[in-house]
Amino acid sequence: MRHLFLALLLATSLTTGCGGARETPVNGSGIPETLRVGLIPNISPEQQRAKYEPFAAYLERRLGVAVELFVASDYAGVVAALAGGRIDLAYLGGLSYVQAEQQVQLTPLVTEIDHATDSPQYVSAVVIRTDSPYQDLKRDIVAAGRTFAFGDVSSTSGSLYPRIMLTEAGATCSPRRVDECPPLAKVTFTGGHDATAQAVLSGQADAGGIELRILRRLEKEGKVPAGRLRVLEERRVQGYPWVMRAALGERTRAVLTEAFTSIEDPALLDLMRAKRYVSVTAADYDEVRRTAADLGLLTVKQ
């Protein structure tokens, strides 16, 4: 009996340990009793976790469950946590969403209506120093063989869409080697939008890809001197989706979607960069899937 007890104890620890997937108890509404929420680090992980604590508190009040926030050191870490069943709900960029769905069945729930565009889209921009002489992406950056900074390799507005703009301007970005984009002399990955802004400001890169609303927030917070970076080219991007593991079921999808679309607190909405939330479907990210496949970014880069 003692050996049987030890065997059962070991089996339980293997299936419920924090390093892997586990059975998730749910409450009467179908929501996990502890809802594990993952966030991509589009700014430093510590800042991202602190920023979303009020949202976690809102979900706890609204849903009557405990909420745990998880921020990985990079985008791929959040995708891996979804695939491993270690988180239930996640805030992803469009690119990290289509990468994640290669590994785990996901249901997209909502995205935010952006303040600047008044739509479910936001802006990806190629930026340069304001005091630089560059005026044209094709002539002054690509053809001239300048240096370029991307954010995280799995960032939609810091990697995928800047790569689209560079390709349209004549660069031959390799679908096999993400760090090769001739005739650019060198491309680097900074890991985040804030780091990309600093790389361009300091002259480590001649130009960089960044989410424009993050740049504007960095300027507002005094982390980037206002007016020191100038937009050279931009594209609109389908908004960040909140997604859940499809295994949680339709009832959970409905409850979580309502929790987002019911947010009315202006302070909370502002903190989350949203005027309000609207539902999205997998089809809303078809352009991201297609271009990510064409440019070799559909697979998560480790």
Side-chain angles (χ1 to χ4, degrees):
M1 288 295 292
R2 180 174 180 272
H3 291 301
L4 177 59
F5 172 76
L6 290 174
L8 289 172
L9 183 62
L10 177 60
T12 301
S13 67
L14 289 174
T15 57
T16 62
C18 61
R22 61 180 184 264
E23 290 297 320
T24 306
V26 297
N27 65 12
S29 64
I31 302 293
E33 291 181 355
T34 298
L35 185 67
R36 301 161 296 175
V37 180
L39 306 164
I40 55 170
N42 53 17
I43 53 177
S44 70
E46 297 78 13
Q47 292 180 52
Q48 188 78 320
R49 180 187 298 275
K51 175 182 174 182
Y52 277 89
E53 286 292 351
F55 173 64
Y58 164 77
L59 286 181
E60 288 183 339
R61 293 192 305 271
R62 176 84 187 186
L63 303 176
V65 299
V67 174
E68 294 178 356
L69 293 181
F70 169 79
V71 186
S73 59
D74 57 18
Y75 287 43
V78 180
V79 173
L82 271 172
R86 298 192 299 276
I87 56 177
D88 308 301
L89 175 70
Y91 184 49
L92 303 176
L95 178 56
S96 47
Y97 159 53
V98 301
Q99 289 174 337
E101 68 180 2
Q102 305 296 303
Q103 304 179 48
V104 59
Q105 288 189 315
L106 297 173
T107 300
L109 303 173
V110 296
T111 192
E112 65 266 19
I113 295 295
D114 180 56
H115 285 279
T117 67
D118 197 30
S119 78
Q121 297 180 320
Y122 64 102
V123 177
S124 169
V126 171
V127 298
I128 55 176
R129 283 176 50 143
T130 299
D131 60 5
S132 73
Y134 313 136
Q135 299 295 326
D136 181 79
L137 181 62
K138 181 175 183 177
R139 181 187 66 241
D140 299 328
I141 302 298
V142 175
R146 307 294 180 187
T147 58
F148 196 92
F150 296 104
D152 188 287
V153 69
S154 292
S155 170
T156 314
S157 55
S159 177
L160 175 60
Y161 274 79
R163 191 172 295 262
I164 291 171
M165 288 183 265
L166 290 171
T167 300
E168 291 175 350
T172 309
C173 297
S174 170
R176 291 175 296 278
R177 293 288 303 273
V178 294
D179 58 349
E180 292 182 0
C181 217
L184 293 174
K186 181 182 180 182
V187 300
T188 57
F189 291 89
T190 68
H193 298 275
D194 46 357
T196 295
Q198 294 302 326
V200 177
L201 274 174
S202 67
Q204 295 177 37
D206 295 309
I210 193 169
E211 181 180 323
L212 191 57
R213 60 186 172 182
I214 292 181
L215 174 60
R216 298 305 180 222
R217 189 182 73 241
L218 292 171
E219 291 174 334
K220 184 177 180 180
E221 294 171 349
K223 296 175 182 177
V224 171
R228 288 283 301 279
L229 293 179
R230 172 163 53 93
V231 174
L232 192 59
E233 191 145 343
E234 63 182 48
R235 291 287 187 281
R236 284 200 175 192
V237 182
Q238 178 66 22
Y240 289 51
W242 280 92
V243 306
M244 71 169 203
R245 290 187 297 110
L248 293 175
E250 176 62 22
R251 188 178 183 187
T252 300
R253 183 206 64 76
V255 171
L256 290 175
T257 298
E258 185 181 16
F260 279 99
T261 58
S262 297
I263 298 175
E264 296 180 346
D265 180 0
L268 181 57
L269 287 169
D270 185 62
L271 179 145
M272 297 175 70
R273 312 184 305 178
K275 290 186 71 173
R276 64 183 185 279
Y277 282 92
V278 294
S279 298
V280 290
T281 68
D284 291 321
Y285 297 88
D286 283 346
E287 181 185 58
V288 175
R289 287 186 191 87
R290 183 178 67 256
T291 54
D294 291 343
L295 293 170
L297 294 176
L298 194 56
T299 302
V300 179
K301 309 295 180 181
Q302 300 286 356

